[in-house]
Amino acid sequence: MSGFSATSSNQSALQKHVAFFDRNKDGVIYPWETFQGCRAIGLGIGLSTLAAVLINMGLSRKTRPGMLKANRIHKDYHGWIGSWVEWKIFFYVCKDKNGLLQKETIRACYTGDLFEQMEQERACEKKRN
């Protein structure tokens, strides 16, 4: 991942997603970078702390060299629970004022542009206030 910017057009959605959380662009995502990324998109201190701990604990072993076979678990209950929690947090953070999740928001999540958009919107809101 090193050498990629989060806005690079030749990146996959997953690469954009990961690059957003690599705040210092060194190719390694540390828990404090996950925390900073969560704060940048508007999560509170508590949820950002919890996300940083759980995400880094859950993914660190699986993303090391040689851990690919560990991801091939038939009954991946942790993965199912993790994806459910991720969806709930995504909905909580990204819903509009009417409590709806807009199609454009979901599309931005799949294209990898969501976090950049959220950070920019949050920065604009801070400037207005």
Side-chain angles (χ1 to χ4, degrees):
M1 279 306 307
S2 63
F4 283 107
S5 72
T7 58
S8 177
S9 63
N10 61 348
Q11 289 182 299
S12 70
L14 180 59
Q15 288 172 318
K16 289 179 184 179
H17 177 95
V18 172
F20 177 82
F21 288 97
D22 186 8
R23 304 304 279 183
N24 64 3
K25 307 299 179 212
D26 67 350
V28 179
I29 301 172
Y30 295 97
W32 54 87
E33 291 178 293
T34 305
F35 175 84
Q36 291 169 349
C38 289
R39 293 291 292 148
I41 62 173
L43 271 63
I45 292 173
L47 187 53
S48 296
T49 302
L50 183 64
V53 170
L54 294 178
I55 290 168
N56 285 273
M57 280 178 45
L59 294 178
S60 66
R61 196 179 107 226
K62 293 180 180 183
T63 57
R64 289 185 161 162
M67 295 300 176
L68 291 178
K69 288 186 180 179
N71 292 331
R72 298 180 188 167
I73 300 171
H74 176 63
K75 294 181 180 180
D76 184 14
Y77 300 116
H78 290 112
W80 297 344
I81 293 169
S83 65
W84 180 81
V85 169
E86 186 178 25
W87 173 254
K88 290 296 186 181
I89 292 171
F90 172 67
F91 183 82
Y92 173 77
V93 172
C94 297
K95 65 184 176 186
D96 65 13
K97 293 178 182 178
N98 297 321
L100 302 173
L101 196 55
Q102 297 297 318
K103 183 190 233 180
E104 295 80 24
T105 305
I106 296 170
R107 183 176 293 124
C109 181
Y110 283 108
T111 62
D113 298 323
L114 178 65
F115 297 132
E116 290 291 328
Q117 290 174 4
M118 291 176 73
E119 183 175 30
Q120 290 171 1
E121 289 172 7
R122 186 168 156 81
C124 287
E125 286 178 17
K126 281 186 175 181
K127 286 181 182 178
R128 281 185 260 172
N129 294 332

